Amino acid sequence: MELCSKKKLHALSLAEKIQVLELLDESKMSQSEVARRFQVSQPQISRICKNKEKLLADWCSGTANRERKRKRESKYSGIDEALLCWYHIAQAKAWEVTGPMLLHKAKELADIMGQDFVPSIGWLVRWKRRNNVGFGARHVVVSPFTPELPPPAPTPQAQLPLSLKDFSPEDIFGCAEVPLLYRAVPGRAGVCDRVQVLLCANSRGTEKRRVLVSGLQAAPRCFFGVSSEALPASYHPDLAIPWSEWLAQFDRDMGRQGRQVALLLAARVVEELAGLPGLGHVKLLPLSAASTTPSLPSSVVQAFKAHYRRRLLGKLAAVQSERAGTSLAEAGAGITVLDALHMAAAAWAKVPLQLIVSSFVQEGLAPGKTALAPHKASEMPPVPGGLSLEEFSRFVDLEGEEPVSGVCKEEVGTEDQGGGGEDVLEPLPTKADALRALGTLRRWIECKGTGPELFANFYACEEEVERLCCL
């Protein structure tokens, strides 16, 4: 009797997984057809699609072993990551790094972390294989920062000026002030609709700072009864970004994590902060005033604005469908600063990690090899219905056009548009109102015949609302 042999598992390397993703994106082949081509199972292709963002981030980083088939996590992952950060810094400084030096540094880091760990030669070999580390050519990063003149008579002990190469990619942050016409509609924008949005992220895309929105109104009525701690973004009642307060909070957050990070800023902003008390954990790196390199890659800002505009158009379309005969401009008048806060936070969350990684590398703001060219679909959201690609692109860049002048009035929400002229605030919703709203929403979803994914999201929301009602 012939014994059945167990089917041999065929694992794909990182390079092959990227080929799978490109094949699925660029052709009309199904997952089953791609699985047959690579001689693997369909579930394995499905797992590759599920981990798409992480795989692209590893590929763009330039440090992952592209021929490695399985990525087994080390038992001492904290020491692994800390040693890799130190190694990147040593490479950037052109140090001669040897095996014994890495073993000594690993032991030193383990002692700092309070872990009972003695690195061996075998561990070092596996660490180098995991992180694609070799003692060959070093990556050199061309810095776009303002050059600093060397001292007239440098001594051998003199320290180099602080620059980009002194930080690992995880600790390099970029930020940008983004002017935003938060309730503008295609072809029409009012001067009173402008807010300033502060975006900040690290070059690996793994950390996005909380969005800050600055506006003209000191106390918008839409914030009545709202807990600022519960909001996904912060609001400042002045168009000018409160750099001192924001940087102080950033410094405290990094201090709690025991980190030293670099923050890329425009030279103009750094000059304005000349009198700021010293920051212990955030080092400001000013970009040259003559440099065209932005402190946060322009493609990242563009993606944020595109996601915001698409979300805004979706909200306006929903208002129009509810009230027949309402024009787009009338629907836009009901958008409040509080709505803008939520839409800005949602848009920032949708900016993909791989776009941030590749953009920082392409702008020369982070070390790494030339990034895999991201597909346009991953950078920009789909064009909303009723607009051509050209019209939507123009709508995304609406801040560059001349706004309609007029007298600035306090915004009114959709609940205030009934007239009457009295300054009456709507009562705050009760627990009973929240539970009734949940029942109404579930019934509406049931009648629409949507898929199970929407119900899964609803159940999570329902559970959290019910928990809050019990507090």
Side-chain angles (χ1 to χ4, degrees):
M1 183 176 176
E2 190 175 331
L3 296 176
C4 295
S5 60
K6 186 180 286 187
K7 188 176 180 180
K8 186 178 179 182
L9 177 66
H10 181 198
L12 299 180
S13 66
L14 176 60
E16 289 172 323
K17 290 174 182 176
I18 295 299
Q19 290 176 19
V20 167
L21 293 174
E22 289 180 333
L23 201 57
L24 288 170
D25 283 345
E26 295 172 0
S27 71
K28 294 183 179 179
M29 294 178 67
S30 67
Q31 290 188 5
S32 298
E33 291 171 326
V34 174
R36 284 195 293 273
R37 172 175 289 195
F38 284 87
Q39 298 181 337
V40 296
S41 65
Q42 185 274 332
Q44 188 173 345
I45 299 297
S46 179
R47 286 193 296 273
I48 290 172
C49 294
K50 184 179 178 181
N51 297 320
K52 178 179 179 179
E53 289 200 358
K54 191 173 188 311
L55 291 171
L56 288 173
D58 286 344
W59 179 271
C60 292
S61 70
T63 60
N65 186 345
R66 298 183 174 187
E67 301 306 317
R68 189 176 178 86
K69 297 189 175 182
R70 294 184 184 87
K71 188 175 180 181
R72 295 187 178 93
E73 297 297 334
S74 168
K75 181 181 177 182
Y76 301 97
S77 57
I79 299 172
D80 250 38
E81 294 175 7
L83 184 62
L84 185 61
C85 288
W86 179 86
Y87 175 75
H88 285 316
I89 294 172
Q91 268 204 323
K93 292 183 176 180
W95 292 349
E96 290 293 338
V97 180
T98 63
M101 187 185 295
L102 285 170
L103 289 171
H104 175 77
K105 192 65 183 179
K107 176 59 178 170
E108 185 179 297
L109 291 168
D111 292 341
I112 293 173
M113 296 178 181
Q115 295 193 31
D116 185 15
F117 170 69
V118 179
S120 63
I121 296 294
W123 175 87
L124 180 60
V125 170
R126 291 189 296 275
W127 177 86
K128 290 169 64 179
R129 192 182 300 130
R130 274 194 301 273
N131 298 292
N132 198 30
V133 169
F135 302 143
R138 297 177 176 82
H139 301 298
V140 179
V141 180
V142 180
S143 175
F145 304 109
T146 308
E148 299 189 37
L149 294 175
T155 62
Q157 292 79 20
Q159 292 186 342
L160 291 173
L162 198 64
S163 65
L164 185 67
K165 66 181 181 180
D166 294 311
F167 298 90
S168 66
E170 293 80 4
D171 292 331
I172 298 172
F173 285 78
C175 69
E177 296 179 69
V178 182
L180 185 69
L181 296 167
Y182 72 93
R183 55 179 175 182
V185 298
R188 186 179 184 279
V191 68
C192 303
D193 297 340
R194 184 179 294 271
V195 294
Q196 290 287 111
V197 180
L198 181 63
L199 303 176
C200 179
N202 72 344
S203 67
R204 293 302 298 272
T206 53
E207 292 181 64
K208 293 178 183 175
R209 298 288 296 170
R210 179 183 172 94
V211 173
L212 174 68
V213 177
S214 291
L216 284 170
Q217 298 180 41
R221 293 174 58 194
C222 56
F223 282 89
F224 172 68
V226 174
S227 170
S228 59
E229 289 77 11
L231 294 175
S234 303
Y235 179 74
H236 179 68
D238 190 335
L239 269 181
I241 297 294
W243 284 108
S244 299
E245 294 87 343
W246 186 85
L247 282 170
Q249 183 62 52
F250 189 16
D251 192 64
R252 284 193 294 271
D253 292 344
M254 295 301 101
R256 280 192 288 268
Q257 298 176 29
R259 295 167 64 186
Q260 294 285 336
V261 303
L263 179 64
L264 310 176
L265 282 176
R268 169 188 59 80
V269 177
V270 176
E271 289 174 6
E272 294 173 1
L273 297 171
L276 186 70
L279 300 170
H281 302 276
V282 178
K283 309 300 179 186
L284 305 183
L285 296 184
L287 291 165
S288 169
S291 173
T292 57
T293 304
S295 51
L296 186 69
S298 54
S299 54
V300 174
V301 174
Q302 194 75 357
F304 161 77
K305 290 173 65 176
H307 282 290
Y308 182 93
R309 296 286 192 232
R310 178 175 171 79
R311 184 70 191 91
L312 174 62
L313 288 177
K315 187 177 284 291
L316 297 180
V319 172
Q320 284 184 303
S321 67
E322 179 195 4
R323 296 197 297 267
T326 303
S327 69
L328 205 59
E330 289 171 336
I335 300 297
T336 67
V337 174
L338 185 56
D339 293 328
L341 246 68
H342 285 284
M343 290 190 289
W348 185 225
K350 280 185 174 292
V351 177
L353 177 148
Q354 68 266 25
L355 171 63
I356 296 176
V357 173
S358 60
S359 299
F360 267 89
V361 172
Q362 288 168 353
E363 294 280 4
L365 298 174
K369 296 180 180 178
T370 303
L372 181 72
H375 297 289
K376 288 293 179 186
S378 67
E379 295 182 32
M380 303 287 280
V383 177
L387 290 179
S388 67
L389 177 59
E390 183 182 353
E391 288 171 333
F392 182 56
S393 298
R394 194 160 57 244
F395 182 44
V396 169
D397 292 324
L398 201 59
E399 285 75 19
E401 299 182 8
E402 191 67 29
V404 177
S405 60
V407 179
C408 292
K409 298 179 181 179
E410 184 176 8
E411 65 182 14
V412 291
T414 52
E415 71 276 5
D416 299 319
Q417 291 179 347
E422 295 184 10
D423 191 11
V424 179
L425 294 173
E426 185 182 1
L428 298 180
T430 64
K431 293 179 181 179
D433 293 333
L435 295 173
R436 275 195 297 271
L438 280 176
T440 302
L441 179 58
R442 190 186 70 183
R443 183 63 179 153
W444 185 81
I445 295 174
E446 290 166 348
C447 295
K448 286 295 179 181
T450 57
E453 295 84 3
L454 182 56
F455 274 110
N457 293 332
F458 171 77
Y459 296 149
C461 176
E462 182 181 44
E463 184 178 354
E464 183 62 18
V465 170
E466 290 170 348
R467 184 189 68 80
L468 290 173
C469 285
C470 294
L471 296 179

